[in-house]
Amino acid sequence: MLKKIIILASGNGSNFEAIVRYFKFNGKIDSLNNNINNNSINNNINSNNSININNNNSNNSNNINNNSNNNCNNNSINNNNNNNDDDLTDKIVDVKNNYVKIDNVKIKNVEKNKIIKNDVKKNKVEKNNVKIDNIEIILVSENKYAYVLKRAENLNIKSYLVEWNKKDRDSFFYKLEKIINIEKPDLIVLAGFMKIIPSFFVKKYKGKIINIHPSLLPAFKGVNAIEKAYNYGVKYTGVTVHFVDEGVDTGKIIEQEVLKIEEHDTLEKLEEKIHKIEHKLYPSVIERFLFKDIKINS
């Protein structure tokens, strides 16, 4: 059975690449470059796999057919077989004039074979006694300068670029609902997506959105968590994977890994250690969620 995840990412994208490599390259993440400076990307990244959704969006967008059952064992976020979903998918397939229009949203640079089936793993991989038959990973970013889009291009991952409107942040999430309606993911993964998720979106997909945070929550919530822990002088810190709720880093904890801060550790060294933990912990939690039928009370 095909499993599918949507990853929301804004910047460097090292966690995104770690997830992709874990599933598609049998966990080989040693070659990850965590020191890429986002500011080095000065021009709009035009990936052949990137689908650009412009800001001409109507708030009267179609509702997503959401299954109200939040059990983690659901096969998909969108399990309700509604004919409107099929109609919408048909519109996506019908590519004309190099773009597809859904309501008032244009999806540019689309090729039929890429919109429908771009990056599905066909070969079985044995990891922890779990057979991964099919896993499709899709990137969504709101930052056209983000290096994560380049990573997606290099890894042949389909990506959506949805422009961020500072005056109307909810418009991004209405467009994201359209993408969810098309792709029907099993899980939404935040990986360096530094935006507050509005309440209406969290409630709709409660139990299906997870995030990773570089501290042992509930300590050091919010931005610059590694630096906060280092400057505070704590002896132990770590990484937390948690469900997303309406607060900032307040969702139910799924898993944590503890790291002792050594006396000789610099801030840079500590950041490096934390990122290594993130790159192993996050994919393993996602795998459990998708393939091991973990039951977590969200």
Side-chain angles (χ1 to χ4, degrees):
M1 179 182 296
L2 173 67
K3 296 290 186 177
K4 187 182 293 189
I5 62 174
I6 285 179
I7 300 178
L8 303 184
S10 301
N12 179 288
S14 64
N15 274 318
F16 163 79
E17 183 163 343
I19 293 167
V20 174
R21 288 184 175 275
Y22 181 87
F23 287 112
K24 309 191 84 60
F25 302 108
N26 200 17
K28 296 179 180 178
I29 62 173
D30 294 337
S31 62
L32 277 179
N33 180 3
N34 301 318
N35 300 313
I36 297 171
N37 185 350
N38 292 333
N39 294 329
S40 65
I41 308 299
N42 295 317
N43 298 315
N44 189 355
I45 299 172
N46 185 16
S47 168
N48 291 330
N49 294 330
S50 181
I51 301 167
N52 187 2
I53 298 181
N54 67 21
N55 272 326
N56 184 18
N57 180 54
S58 170
N59 287 338
N60 296 322
S61 58
N62 294 331
N63 291 327
I64 309 300
N65 295 305
N66 183 32
N67 190 334
S68 60
N69 185 353
N70 289 326
N71 192 308
C72 294
N73 293 321
N74 287 347
N75 292 329
S76 171
I77 288 176
N78 302 278
N79 269 336
N80 190 348
N81 294 324
N82 188 303
N83 291 333
N84 291 334
D85 287 348
D86 296 333
D87 292 343
L88 188 58
T89 303
D90 289 341
K91 291 178 185 178
I92 286 293
V93 176
D94 186 18
V95 178
K96 295 180 180 179
N97 299 323
N98 204 34
Y99 72 84
V100 176
K101 192 172 183 180
I102 304 175
D103 295 338
N104 290 322
V105 177
K106 288 183 179 180
I107 303 180
K108 299 179 180 179
N109 302 325
V110 179
E111 294 180 14
K112 180 177 178 180
N113 62 330
K114 291 179 180 176
I115 188 75
I116 297 302
K117 195 173 184 180
N118 178 64
D119 196 45
V120 179
K121 185 175 181 60
K122 295 181 179 179
N123 297 325
K124 293 184 178 181
V125 176
E126 293 271 358
K127 291 202 300 294
N128 301 326
N129 297 320
V130 177
K131 288 185 178 180
I132 300 178
D133 297 326
N134 288 298
I135 175 76
E136 185 174 4
I137 299 172
I138 297 157
L139 172 69
V140 176
S141 181
E142 87 298 349
N143 179 8
K144 65 182 179 181
Y145 301 115
Y147 192 78
V148 68
L149 289 168
K150 187 65 177 176
R151 291 186 191 268
E153 180 181 5
N154 292 339
L155 293 164
N156 194 32
I157 299 296
K158 181 167 69 179
S159 61
Y160 288 84
L161 175 59
V162 183
E163 295 175 3
W164 184 262
N165 185 343
K166 293 181 180 179
K167 296 181 180 179
D168 182 15
R169 70 182 185 119
D170 286 355
S171 66
F172 171 88
F173 294 95
Y174 288 125
K175 295 174 189 177
L176 180 57
E177 283 188 322
K178 291 178 182 293
I179 295 171
I180 291 171
N181 199 37
I182 296 164
E183 300 293 354
K184 295 178 172 55
D186 299 276
L187 183 65
I188 301 168
V189 177
L190 308 189
F193 183 73
M194 307 302 288
K195 305 290 184 183
I196 296 175
I197 312 293
S199 178
F200 81 88
F201 191 88
V202 173
K203 288 179 180 178
K204 192 164 190 176
Y205 302 109
K206 187 176 181 180
K208 294 292 187 179
I209 313 173
I210 64 173
N211 184 43
I212 191 164
H213 186 75
S215 78
L216 293 176
L217 292 174
F220 307 114
K221 299 173 184 176
V223 298
N224 302 321
I226 302 174
E227 184 177 358
K228 288 176 183 176
Y230 182 82
N231 291 337
Y232 199 83
V234 295
K235 303 301 181 185
Y236 294 88
T237 185
V239 175
T240 303
V241 179
H242 64 95
F243 285 109
V244 173
D245 63 10
E246 290 83 353
V248 177
D249 300 323
T250 56
K252 185 175 180 63
I253 292 171
I254 300 172
E255 192 165 330
Q256 293 180 308
E257 185 166 331
V258 179
L259 173 67
K260 182 179 180 180
I261 301 178
E262 305 292 345
E263 291 184 5
H264 59 272
D265 280 344
T266 63
L267 176 58
E268 291 73 20
K269 184 66 175 178
L270 181 60
E271 288 175 340
E272 181 181 338
K273 290 181 177 180
I274 289 290
H275 292 322
K276 284 184 177 180
I277 294 174
E278 288 178 329
H279 296 157
K280 293 180 180 179
L281 181 63
Y282 213 8
S284 68
V285 170
I286 293 169
E287 181 181 54
R288 286 170 52 213
F289 192 103
L290 295 177
F291 297 102
K292 293 189 177 181
D293 296 324
I294 57 173
K295 295 181 179 180
I296 301 175
N297 181 13
S298 62

